[in-house]
Amino acid sequence: METKTKRTVTGDILNHLKRYGSINQLKALERYGTWRLADVIFRLREQGYKIRTEDKLVKTRYGKKVNVAVYRLIG
């Protein structure tokens, strides 16, 4: 009998960080369907992963400048 490994959003986000080095909320929503990226990052940090939060200044579709969080895997 074949055993299937259950995919989780946390695992998907961790794999993304390992492959690409960083992720933001928009990318997490588009690729993995999660609105709760900060919660996933919190859980990964509790598991011992070193993840840095950086602010990135971006323009909204209305031209207003806002900061968004970018999470980077360290090491």
Side-chain angles (χ1 to χ4, degrees), residues 9-10 13-14 17 23-29 32-47 49 51-55 68-72:
V9 171
T10 302
I13 298 296
L14 178 58
L17 287 168
I23 194 165
N24 62 38
Q25 179 60 57
L26 181 58
K27 188 66 67 181
L29 179 59
Y32 309 107
T34 183
W35 287 96
R36 298 185 39 96
L37 179 59
D39 178 61
V40 172
I41 298 299
F42 175 82
R43 286 185 270 137
L44 288 171
R45 286 175 173 154
E46 282 197 329
Q47 292 175 22
Y49 291 97
I51 301 171
R52 178 178 54 223
T53 304
E54 300 173 355
D55 287 333
V68 297
V70 177
Y71 300 98
R72 294 197 184 278

Side-chain angles (χ1 to χ4, degrees), residues 11-25:
D12 288 343
I13 298 296
L14 178 58
N15 288 334
H16 183 99
L17 287 168
K18 287 178 177 179
R19 183 169 184 183
Y20 301 105
S22 67
I23 194 165
N24 62 38
Q25 179 60 57

